Amino acid sequence: MAKHVVSGSKRTVRAVNAATLARLREAGLRPTRQRLALAALLFDGHPHGRHVSAEALFGEVRAAGAKVSLATVYNTLHQFTAAGLLRELVVDPGTSLFDTNVGDHHHLYFEDSGDLRDVDADRIEIKGLPATPKGAEVARVDVIVRLRRRS
Amino acid sequence: MAKHVVSGSKRTVRAVNAATLARLREAGLRPTRQRLALAALLFDGHPHGRHVSAEALFGEVRAAGAKVSLATVYNTLHQFTAAGLLRELVVDPGTSLFDTNVGDHHHLYFEDSGDLRDVDADRIEIKGLPATPKGAEVARVDVIVRLRRRS
DNA sequence: TTTTTAAACTAGAATAATTCTAATCTATTG
DNA sequence: CAATAGATTAGAATTATTCTAGTTTAAAAA
């Protein structure tokens, strides 16, 4: 896959994924060192998407050696979400997860293990929903199937 | 509607809804002054159910003149939830709502107003969900339809 | 009724997740 | 390369929730 070099920074910097770079530019977000590091962790080499909390991503990015503050992780996750690069979801009260799969899909949540799996929306049909009121539109439909070990 | 008088307390106390009292007893929860006050706000005179946050309920119970601490509100909401008298749900990251409707149902969320409406599950049919894995069972299915003003 | 006791309640401290602030830095533009 | 708008940061602040440990109370026993 093609790599580019980001110019304009003081010490010219490691190669980045071209698609990631393009994604940021399209979203009107400057491709800063921090955003690139976070985007790499979020989007590179995860063909099936991932679900990540702010704290977990913060851990990863620092483990990867990048200097990024927790505030920036939060800022970036929200900016990516606003730009349509991520989707925020809550399966357990208390913390948000960010989903790199922004296609129309739903979730299977294994309460015991905490495992969360995507289910393509086009495999699913939901009938009987009330008519969307005039002047409103459906922003999104979230389906979470919660599974537990059979008793 | 029939009322009972709770005995055993120091100053014999105001009449309470018999159904509420029975509900607590069935759940193995002592009908304390605080639980009765909270249960009254939650369950009495709300035929269509309600969605309430801990803070909001705390406000209501104190406005009603009862002395109940915030810790007790949280304890009670969780005990009621464990007893199947309430259902916890999250529509917005950051805070939990407690739903007095514990029947099988889903939600319509108006993002602009914050309004939340129940949709009976038996009006709805969901097809194409993946098979429940062996050894697991569906604990519950949450559907949240998020609506916003049409752009 | 009084006593006993486990359960429940409480204020306030503690924690967890997230947001804010205001100072510093840097990617882009001229 | 200088100017500047935008981005980053550490740490403080805020918000929602949980915990602690001392006090009160409902229910059971006497």
Side-chain angles (χ1 to χ4, degrees), chain B residues 29-30 32 34-35 67-69 71-72 75-76:
Chain B
L29 297 170
R30 288 188 187 172
T32 63
Q34 292 84 344
R35 284 176 184 156
K67 279 182 223 132
V68 180
S69 72
T72 295
N75 288 341
T76 302

Side-chain angles (χ1 to χ4, degrees), chain A residues 30 32 34-35 67 69 72:
Chain A
R30 286 186 187 174
T32 64
Q34 293 84 340
R35 285 177 183 156
K67 279 183 225 133
S69 72
T72 294

Side-chain angles (χ1 to χ4, degrees), chain A residues 23-86:
Chain A
R23 257 198 265 220
L24 294 188
R25 289 235 145 89
E26 274 166 45
L29 297 170
R30 286 186 187 174
T32 64
R33 195 168 34 78
Q34 293 84 340
R35 285 177 183 156
L36 289 168
L38 293 169
L41 289 170
L42 289 168
F43 305 118
D44 290 358
H46 291 281
H48 301 301
R50 48 180 324 209
H51 305 107
V52 73
S53 70
E55 277 293 347
L57 185 61
F58 179 60
E60 285 181 33
V61 77
R62 314 207 88 223
K67 279 183 225 133
V68 180
S69 72
L70 182 55
T72 294
V73 172
Y74 275 103
N75 289 341
T76 302
L77 286 171
H78 289 142
Q79 291 153 352
F80 283 11
T81 302
L85 270 46
L86 292 176

